[in-house]
Amino acid sequence: MIPKSGVALGAFPKVEFFIGGGGDKGDWITNVTRATGIMGDVRDYREGSSSGITCYYYGHEDQDLVLSMIKGNWRSGAFKSIRLTGHSWGGQVVMDLTQDLFHASIPVDELITLDPVSMFPFSKVIAGKWVNVYCKQSIMDNTIGAVPVIGNAVSALTSWVGQAGEDTNSSDYIANVGGQLGSENGAHNIEMNVTHADAMHMYKKARAEMTNAPLNPKAIGIR
């Protein structure tokens, strides 16, 4: 039986962590709204369609807990191969975790970011393979929207006004407020015409594209 409590039981050499974004699991947003559980559903899909891998589901607010858990289980030998998948703010978290683990000489074999969101630009990420799937962005998103904080607000307002199309919803507006990162340097980037909340379709696309993603020799070299 695969543990879902976040506590490692015995040895599970191949693991994948699914990290949710704002309002996904248990952050301050869920105090006023119902948790979406978006990445919980993606975790369940992975468990049901794969074998030989143990999956964990956390929110972006659990970043320090996840880092501590991985480090402890890596040192004990319980974890042998690590995969990180994050959506929205969770995408930023898994990039942070990947760098923290790299500096601790713990390799992340696969990194998947699903329309990652951050208020500020991010530095380089070193993972064995990195697939970044992001929602198709407008000219406004890629110009004014690329300016931290102020640009995010202007781009978000534009999205809100233009949400008459059937391919947009409130999740796109919220993502623009946070600052969608879009294409990322060093990743195998895939653009999809989906809404920000559609992490399931983005994840399925990422998994299908993982074989096409190049290996990063720097990450492999720390083993």
Side-chain angles (χ1 to χ4, degrees), residues 2-208:
I2 296 174
K4 298 183 180 180
S5 64
V7 178
L9 305 175
F12 299 100
K14 185 177 177 181
V15 297
E16 184 167 356
F17 286 79
F18 293 83
I19 310 298
D24 191 304
K25 197 171 190 292
D27 65 0
W28 61 271
I29 298 175
T30 61
N31 293 328
V32 293
T33 64
R34 185 170 60 90
T36 61
I38 290 173
M39 288 303 281
D41 292 339
V42 178
R43 185 276 313 272
D44 291 346
Y45 163 77
R46 176 68 156 153
E47 286 185 345
S49 60
S50 308
S51 60
I53 185 167
T54 301
C55 300
Y56 299 90
Y57 165 44
Y58 288 95
H60 68 93
E61 65 277 6
D62 298 316
Q63 180 173 343
D64 292 340
L65 173 63
V66 172
L67 181 60
S68 177
M69 178 182 176
I70 292 175
K71 285 183 174 180
N73 281 282
W74 183 265
R75 286 193 294 266
S76 71
F79 291 174
K80 300 290 187 181
S81 180
I82 298 166
R83 289 149 178 75
L84 301 177
T85 295
H87 170 243
S88 192
W89 279 345
Q92 174 67 76
V93 166
V94 294
M95 286 190 280
D96 284 337
L97 288 171
T98 297
Q99 284 306 93
D100 288 339
L101 292 169
F102 176 77
H103 291 306
S105 297
I106 301 174
V108 173
D109 291 331
E110 292 180 359
L111 172 64
I112 293 177
T113 47
L114 307 176
D115 205 28
V117 167
S118 176
M119 291 294 288
F120 299 97
F122 194 76
S123 60
K124 64 180 181 179
V125 176
I126 300 176
K129 287 190 171 188
W130 177 16
V131 176
N132 177 54
V133 182
Y134 63 96
C135 297
K136 186 175 182 179
Q137 296 182 312
S138 67
I139 294 175
M140 179 68 74
D141 293 332
N142 291 319
T143 54
I144 295 176
V147 179
V149 184
I150 296 175
N152 296 341
V154 174
S155 179
L157 180 60
T158 304
S159 293
W160 183 260
V161 172
Q163 277 189 34
E166 60 182 17
D167 290 332
T168 61
N169 64 18
S170 60
S171 69
D172 298 308
Y173 167 72
I174 294 169
N176 275 332
V177 172
Q180 288 165 293
L181 295 178
S183 179
E184 285 295 288
N185 184 34
H188 181 64
N189 290 291
I190 307 295
E191 183 183 71
M192 290 187 71
N193 190 19
V194 295
T195 64
H196 177 71
D198 197 356
M200 184 68 76
H201 279 98
M202 286 189 278
Y203 180 73
K204 289 179 180 179
K205 181 66 173 178
R207 288 250 59 95

